[in-house]
Amino acid sequence: MYTDIIKIGISACLAGEKVRFDTGHKKSNFCMDELGKHVEYTRFCPEVAVGLPIPRPTIRQVKVGETIKVCRPDGTGDVGQQLTEYGKKVATEQAKELSGFVFCAKSPSCGMERIKIYNEAGTGNTSEGVGFFAEQIMKHNPLLPCEENGRLNDMHLRENFVMRVYVFKNWQKLVQEPLTVHKLTQFHAQYKYLLMAHNYQAYRDLGSLLGTYVGGDINLIADEYILGLMTGLKKPASRRNNCNTLMHLQGYFKKDLSKIEKQELREAIDEYREGLVPLYVPLTLLKHHLKVHPNEYLAKQVYFNPYPHDLKLRFGI
Ligand code: SF4
């Protein structure tokens, strides 16, 4: 059960608001109808916020000398500076309350990456731009899980984003109170297997970071720790790493399970390894064994339940 309110920022058009240049929207069904059951969205339309009307002429990024403008195709109406200032204001005043952000792809204001930058004559472009609003949010909140609507159609990226949102929310909750070594170690203990599945090197590095702590400013260690954790978890968990993690977890039950049960579990892991069944199959079996043979340490592992089950995110990976 997740009882905390999780707040996520979202480009307003993805939330179904008719704020686009042509009075349309780009509602994300996953964000609004599925994830929306579990989170609270704060909506932002930076173009409307800086005073552009609905409808409005399209705008795009245009390189003029060393400067990039965000203007109409004819070069007029540059709102680059306003978008940057508005983005910085949201990033520093409101985004600290958020545990994630979903941006609208391809927009010169909201896109996270690969935004087209046109040459001044409008005859060519590169795809190296970042939306002016999104850039500020990400720059001032480097730990904040961010994703684009298009990428969320990929089940691995979707699962990874939602998982990171829940991890980050737990971290935000932890650091509301003064931190101690004990609290930090306890926090890390519950993420051990989740991190192992995503990034074995980060799992080792963070274990060693906390294991070798002998005093000093705990907040400095905490900063290093959370940066390592959020960066490590960004790497999608490969089938191979998940299998490795499942095998480790299986080891906890070696004295409790019958020969047949062990074989059944091994077969479920092998079938997952071969791509015949999704991750939830061996995990469900492991969770069943955990219920029958309780283990306090394992029960705390976030790997078993990183987010609400009804999101069905482990059905597709
Ligand atoms: S992409 Fe961003 S700026 Fe454009 S309509 Fe959507 S919210 Fe507004």
PDB file of all heavy atoms in Angstrom, residues 279-293:
ATOM      1  N   LEU A 279       8.607 -11.020 -16.266  1.00  0.00           N
ATOM      2  CA  LEU A 279       9.249 -11.016 -14.948  1.00  0.00           C
ATOM      3  C   LEU A 279       8.288 -11.368 -13.806  1.00  0.00           C
ATOM      4  O   LEU A 279       8.688 -11.954 -12.807  1.00  0.00           O
ATOM      5  CB  LEU A 279       9.872  -9.624 -14.708  1.00  0.00           C
ATOM      6  CG  LEU A 279      10.598  -9.392 -13.401  1.00  0.00           C
ATOM      7  CD1 LEU A 279      11.756 -10.364 -13.219  1.00  0.00           C
ATOM      8  CD2 LEU A 279      11.130  -7.954 -13.322  1.00  0.00           C
ATOM      9  N   TYR A 280       7.023 -11.008 -13.972  1.00  0.00           N
ATOM     10  CA  TYR A 280       6.126 -11.209 -12.833  1.00  0.00           C
ATOM     11  C   TYR A 280       5.922 -12.697 -12.510  1.00  0.00           C
ATOM     12  O   TYR A 280       5.541 -13.048 -11.389  1.00  0.00           O
ATOM     13  CB  TYR A 280       4.777 -10.489 -13.039  1.00  0.00           C
ATOM     14  CG  TYR A 280       3.718 -11.274 -13.760  1.00  0.00           C
ATOM     15  CD1 TYR A 280       2.813 -12.068 -13.050  1.00  0.00           C
ATOM     16  CD2 TYR A 280       3.603 -11.228 -15.131  1.00  0.00           C
ATOM     17  CE1 TYR A 280       1.830 -12.790 -13.703  1.00  0.00           C
ATOM     18  CE2 TYR A 280       2.634 -11.937 -15.798  1.00  0.00           C
ATOM     19  CZ  TYR A 280       1.754 -12.728 -15.076  1.00  0.00           C
ATOM     20  OH  TYR A 280       0.793 -13.443 -15.718  1.00  0.00           O
ATOM     21  N   VAL A 281       6.233 -13.587 -13.478  1.00  0.00           N
ATOM     22  CA  VAL A 281       6.009 -15.025 -13.225  1.00  0.00           C
ATOM     23  C   VAL A 281       6.966 -15.555 -12.139  1.00  0.00           C
ATOM     24  O   VAL A 281       6.503 -16.029 -11.088  1.00  0.00           O
ATOM     25  CB  VAL A 281       6.088 -15.837 -14.535  1.00  0.00           C
ATOM     26  CG1 VAL A 281       6.055 -17.332 -14.250  1.00  0.00           C
ATOM     27  CG2 VAL A 281       4.942 -15.443 -15.461  1.00  0.00           C
ATOM     28  N   PRO A 282       8.309 -15.469 -12.335  1.00  0.00           N
ATOM     29  CA  PRO A 282       9.174 -15.948 -11.243  1.00  0.00           C
ATOM     30  C   PRO A 282       9.024 -15.115  -9.972  1.00  0.00           C
ATOM     31  O   PRO A 282       9.143 -15.645  -8.860  1.00  0.00           O
ATOM     32  CB  PRO A 282      10.595 -15.831 -11.819  1.00  0.00           C
ATOM     33  CG  PRO A 282      10.489 -14.890 -12.972  1.00  0.00           C
ATOM     34  CD  PRO A 282       9.108 -15.042 -13.511  1.00  0.00           C
ATOM     35  N   LEU A 283       8.724 -13.814 -10.147  1.00  0.00           N
ATOM     36  CA  LEU A 283       8.572 -12.960  -8.956  1.00  0.00           C
ATOM     37  C   LEU A 283       7.364 -13.362  -8.122  1.00  0.00           C
ATOM     38  O   LEU A 283       7.409 -13.358  -6.893  1.00  0.00           O
ATOM     39  CB  LEU A 283       8.414 -11.504  -9.395  1.00  0.00           C
ATOM     40  CG  LEU A 283       9.676 -10.667  -9.339  1.00  0.00           C
ATOM     41  CD1 LEU A 283       9.401  -9.274  -9.869  1.00  0.00           C
ATOM     42  CD2 LEU A 283      10.215 -10.584  -7.916  1.00  0.00           C
ATOM     43  N   THR A 284       6.282 -13.707  -8.804  1.00  0.00           N
ATOM     44  CA  THR A 284       5.074 -14.116  -8.076  1.00  0.00           C
ATOM     45  C   THR A 284       5.351 -15.379  -7.270  1.00  0.00           C
ATOM     46  O   THR A 284       4.923 -15.522  -6.119  1.00  0.00           O
ATOM     47  CB  THR A 284       3.905 -14.359  -9.065  1.00  0.00           C
ATOM     48  OG1 THR A 284       3.748 -13.173  -9.825  1.00  0.00           O
ATOM     49  CG2 THR A 284       2.605 -14.682  -8.357  1.00  0.00           C
ATOM     50  N   LEU A 285       6.110 -16.271  -7.872  1.00  0.00           N
ATOM     51  CA  LEU A 285       6.457 -17.519  -7.189  1.00  0.00           C
ATOM     52  C   LEU A 285       7.318 -17.216  -5.953  1.00  0.00           C
ATOM     53  O   LEU A 285       7.084 -17.760  -4.857  1.00  0.00           O
ATOM     54  CB  LEU A 285       7.220 -18.413  -8.178  1.00  0.00           C
ATOM     55  CG  LEU A 285       7.126 -19.922  -8.013  1.00  0.00           C
ATOM     56  CD1 LEU A 285       5.707 -20.385  -7.748  1.00  0.00           C
ATOM     57  CD2 LEU A 285       7.670 -20.598  -9.282  1.00  0.00           C
ATOM     58  N   LEU A 286       8.301 -16.335  -6.142  1.00  0.00           N
ATOM     59  CA  LEU A 286       9.159 -15.963  -5.009  1.00  0.00           C
ATOM     60  C   LEU A 286       8.352 -15.293  -3.897  1.00  0.00           C
ATOM     61  O   LEU A 286       8.561 -15.546  -2.707  1.00  0.00           O
ATOM     62  CB  LEU A 286      10.258 -15.012  -5.485  1.00  0.00           C
ATOM     63  CG  LEU A 286      11.523 -15.667  -6.025  1.00  0.00           C
ATOM     64  CD1 LEU A 286      12.401 -14.648  -6.724  1.00  0.00           C
ATOM     65  CD2 LEU A 286      12.313 -16.337  -4.908  1.00  0.00           C
ATOM     66  N   LYS A 287       7.414 -14.445  -4.297  1.00  0.00           N
ATOM     67  CA  LYS A 287       6.588 -13.753  -3.288  1.00  0.00           C
ATOM     68  C   LYS A 287       5.722 -14.752  -2.534  1.00  0.00           C
ATOM     69  O   LYS A 287       5.487 -14.613  -1.333  1.00  0.00           O
ATOM     70  CB  LYS A 287       5.711 -12.691  -3.971  1.00  0.00           C
ATOM     71  CG  LYS A 287       6.464 -11.434  -4.330  1.00  0.00           C
ATOM     72  CD  LYS A 287       5.506 -10.283  -4.508  1.00  0.00           C
ATOM     73  CE  LYS A 287       5.521  -9.747  -5.887  1.00  0.00           C
ATOM     74  NZ  LYS A 287       4.649  -8.610  -6.109  1.00  0.00           N
ATOM     75  N   HIS A 288       5.267 -15.753  -3.239  1.00  0.00           N
ATOM     76  CA  HIS A 288       4.470 -16.804  -2.592  1.00  0.00           C
ATOM     77  C   HIS A 288       5.328 -17.519  -1.539  1.00  0.00           C
ATOM     78  O   HIS A 288       4.898 -17.715  -0.394  1.00  0.00           O
ATOM     79  CB  HIS A 288       3.964 -17.793  -3.650  1.00  0.00           C
ATOM     80  CG  HIS A 288       3.485 -19.084  -3.073  1.00  0.00           C
ATOM     81  ND1 HIS A 288       2.282 -19.190  -2.393  1.00  0.00           N
ATOM     82  CD2 HIS A 288       4.071 -20.311  -3.036  1.00  0.00           C
ATOM     83  CE1 HIS A 288       2.149 -20.441  -1.965  1.00  0.00           C
ATOM     84  NE2 HIS A 288       3.203 -21.142  -2.343  1.00  0.00           N
ATOM     85  N   HIS A 289       6.553 -17.871  -1.910  1.00  0.00           N
ATOM     86  CA  HIS A 289       7.426 -18.569  -0.959  1.00  0.00           C
ATOM     87  C   HIS A 289       7.761 -17.668   0.231  1.00  0.00           C
ATOM     88  O   HIS A 289       7.907 -18.144   1.356  1.00  0.00           O
ATOM     89  CB  HIS A 289       8.712 -19.042  -1.646  1.00  0.00           C
ATOM     90  CG  HIS A 289       8.458 -20.138  -2.648  1.00  0.00           C
ATOM     91  ND1 HIS A 289       7.666 -21.228  -2.373  1.00  0.00           N
ATOM     92  CD2 HIS A 289       8.885 -20.297  -3.929  1.00  0.00           C
ATOM     93  CE1 HIS A 289       7.608 -22.018  -3.425  1.00  0.00           C
ATOM     94  NE2 HIS A 289       8.333 -21.474  -4.393  1.00  0.00           N
ATOM     95  N   LEU A 290       7.860 -16.380  -0.035  1.00  0.00           N
ATOM     96  CA  LEU A 290       8.158 -15.430   1.048  1.00  0.00           C
ATOM     97  C   LEU A 290       7.001 -15.361   2.050  1.00  0.00           C
ATOM     98  O   LEU A 290       7.208 -15.204   3.250  1.00  0.00           O
ATOM     99  CB  LEU A 290       8.446 -14.045   0.442  1.00  0.00           C
ATOM    100  CG  LEU A 290       8.846 -12.946   1.410  1.00  0.00           C
ATOM    101  CD1 LEU A 290      10.066 -13.334   2.235  1.00  0.00           C
ATOM    102  CD2 LEU A 290       9.144 -11.653   0.639  1.00  0.00           C
ATOM    103  N   LYS A 291       5.786 -15.503   1.519  1.00  0.00           N
ATOM    104  CA  LYS A 291       4.608 -15.498   2.401  1.00  0.00           C
ATOM    105  C   LYS A 291       4.602 -16.743   3.287  1.00  0.00           C
ATOM    106  O   LYS A 291       4.313 -16.680   4.479  1.00  0.00           O
ATOM    107  CB  LYS A 291       3.346 -15.495   1.528  1.00  0.00           C
ATOM    108  CG  LYS A 291       2.471 -14.285   1.774  1.00  0.00           C
ATOM    109  CD  LYS A 291       1.204 -14.403   0.984  1.00  0.00           C
ATOM    110  CE  LYS A 291       0.888 -13.064   0.351  1.00  0.00           C
ATOM    111  NZ  LYS A 291      -0.107 -13.147  -0.688  1.00  0.00           N
ATOM    112  N   VAL A 292       4.943 -17.858   2.656  1.00  0.00           N
ATOM    113  CA  VAL A 292       4.917 -19.123   3.391  1.00  0.00           C
ATOM    114  C   VAL A 292       6.105 -19.222   4.351  1.00  0.00           C
ATOM    115  O   VAL A 292       5.986 -19.782   5.450  1.00  0.00           O
ATOM    116  CB  VAL A 292       4.938 -20.320   2.390  1.00  0.00           C
ATOM    117  CG1 VAL A 292       4.919 -21.649   3.133  1.00  0.00           C
ATOM    118  CG2 VAL A 292       3.740 -20.231   1.448  1.00  0.00           C
ATOM    119  N   HIS A 293       7.230 -18.681   3.954  1.00  0.00           N
ATOM    120  CA  HIS A 293       8.446 -18.729   4.783  1.00  0.00           C
ATOM    121  C   HIS A 293       8.918 -17.303   5.043  1.00  0.00           C
ATOM    122  O   HIS A 293       9.844 -16.819   4.364  1.00  0.00           O
ATOM    123  CB  HIS A 293       9.554 -19.518   4.064  1.00  0.00           C
ATOM    124  CG  HIS A 293       9.106 -20.858   3.571  1.00  0.00           C
ATOM    125  ND1 HIS A 293       8.911 -21.939   4.413  1.00  0.00           N
ATOM    126  CD2 HIS A 293       8.782 -21.292   2.332  1.00  0.00           C
ATOM    127  CE1 HIS A 293       8.500 -22.980   3.709  1.00  0.00           C
ATOM    128  NE2 HIS A 293       8.414 -22.606   2.446  1.00  0.00           N
TER     129      HIS A 293
END
